[in-house]
Amino acid sequence: MRLEGIADTCFLVDWVHYRNRDKLFELFDRIFITEGVLKEIGHEPTISWVSSKLAEGKIALLTESPSVSSEAYTLMSLSRGEPRMRDLDYPEAVCLVLGKMLRAIVLTENRAAVMAPFFLEPYSGVIVWRSLEVLREFILRGYIVLEHKTEESIRRVFEEYMSDTRHLFSTTELNSVVRAILKCVRRR
Amino acid sequence: MEGDIDTLITGMHEARELRRSYANWGEIEKLPPRLKAAVKYYIETGDLYVASKIADVKVDEMREVLLRVGVPIAP
């Protein structure tokens, strides 16, 4: 199945440090970024990686139209009216709008964006993945091959990501994903 | 939709505890005012984008500042 993603800056600035970062482009045929993402990155490793993937056509640049921008502000306003969720920032709101429009998976680490499909009905069909979910998909789709079908082998994948990127996962969320993966791999 | 909302909310609280517990407060206090405010904002919220705006630096530069003062990326 053809997969396309739309990534925000917070996702990419972690991912650039991961040893398996280019597997992202095995999982996704293309990842969109907005012009805003280019303005928000300043470190050489990030700029270099993103620009090389732009040159290869693996990352594609999107310009926000006035209608996308307007919808993003509407979405931000909706999020402010939902007390159970955090307020959406503009870049994540744009990603959600474009994700819905292009049927692309939203790649972000922003919790408000992750919460949006739960609480904002017009966006209930939008898929939002963080690195936790992307790593899960790497394992389940065979882009990362486990040494053994054990919890320890699964945890090692996440530990490598945390070690490379210095991004820590919450214990509850990590355990939940590990359990879900273990259940799937043992069924196979 | 991915996962369940209870796990997500528990994860949000745990992530804040991680940020607070790893932070090197002595080093944070030595930062210039804008950076110090941005780091403290990130510790409380986990929102890297707004923290970078408070600090008036790029998002990946903000990330490096956080790591320098011991704050893990735990959104």
Side-chain angles (χ1 to χ4, degrees):
Chain A
M1 191 178 69
R2 188 175 168 79
L3 280 188
E4 289 185 327
I6 175 154
D8 73 0
T9 313
C10 299
F11 181 87
L12 293 172
V13 296
D14 281 351
W15 204 266
V16 67
H17 299 285
Y18 179 42
R19 70 190 74 182
N20 290 320
R21 65 187 187 181
D22 285 350
K23 285 188 187 290
L24 205 51
F25 305 103
E26 295 175 33
L27 178 59
F28 290 96
D29 295 284
R30 183 176 299 158
I31 292 176
F32 298 105
I33 59 170
T34 63
E35 288 180 4
V37 169
L38 289 183
K39 290 178 190 157
E40 291 159 9
I41 57 176
H43 259 212
E44 196 281 327
T46 324
I47 295 169
S48 172
W49 182 56
V50 170
S51 57
S52 71
K53 294 303 163 191
L54 278 165
E56 291 170 26
K58 302 285 189 187
I59 291 181
L61 193 60
L62 289 176
T63 304
E64 295 155 35
S65 67
S67 66
V68 167
S69 184
S70 166
E71 180 63 25
Y73 283 116
T74 303
L75 180 53
M76 289 168 73
S77 172
L78 275 177
S79 81
R80 285 197 297 275
E82 172 49 73
R84 293 171 295 176
M85 70 176 281
R86 299 258 292 264
D87 291 352
L88 273 168
D89 298 329
Y90 181 76
E92 284 72 39
V94 167
C95 280
L96 285 163
V97 170
L98 288 169
K100 183 181 177 187
M101 191 181 281
L102 302 170
R103 295 183 182 179
I105 295 170
V106 175
L107 301 171
T108 182
E109 295 294 345
N110 182 284
R111 281 190 187 267
V114 181
M115 287 177 175
F118 288 96
F119 295 124
L120 306 177
E121 202 283 326
Y123 287 82
S124 61
V126 177
I127 297 172
V128 181
W129 285 352
R130 297 166 292 172
S131 44
L132 262 181
E133 287 82 22
V134 173
L135 293 172
R136 177 196 66 197
E137 294 302 312
F138 275 4
I139 296 169
L140 295 181
R141 295 171 194 240
Y143 296 111
I144 286 180
V145 179
L146 295 173
E147 223 170 294
H148 305 285
K149 290 181 177 180
T150 60
E151 183 174 335
E152 191 188 5
S153 288
I154 296 167
R155 285 192 184 278
R156 194 168 304 127
V157 173
F158 291 90
E159 281 159 10
E160 281 180 359
Y161 181 85
M162 289 194 282
S163 163
D164 291 355
T165 64
R166 298 168 77 184
H167 174 133
L168 298 186
F169 298 122
S170 91
T171 306
T172 299
E173 290 176 297
L174 180 58
N175 288 345
S176 169
V177 169
V178 169
R179 274 197 304 272
I181 296 169
L182 193 59
K183 203 170 160 186
C184 287
V185 296
R186 282 188 173 159
R187 269 208 305 259
R188 290 177 181 168
Chain B
M1 268 185 269
E2 291 283 329
D4 70 83
I5 195 66
D6 292 336
T7 303
L8 188 61
I9 290 168
T10 304
M12 182 171 73
H13 296 310
E14 286 179 0
R16 183 166 56 196
E17 284 313 306
L18 284 171
R19 297 190 299 271
R20 284 176 176 168
S21 63
Y22 279 84
N24 182 336
W25 292 97
E27 288 302 311
I28 292 168
E29 290 303 324
K30 290 181 201 163
L31 291 170
R34 286 190 84 92
L35 282 182
K36 183 161 61 177
V39 168
K40 287 181 176 177
Y41 177 86
Y42 181 78
I43 291 169
E44 285 311 300
T45 66
D47 188 331
L48 186 59
Y49 172 74
V50 174
S52 76
K53 293 294 171 196
I54 294 168
D56 193 23
V57 297
K58 307 275 189 185
V59 171
D60 47 5
E61 290 165 349
M62 186 67 225
R63 186 183 189 281
E64 295 305 311
V65 171
L66 291 167
L67 294 174
R68 277 207 304 273
V69 293
V71 180
I73 306 306

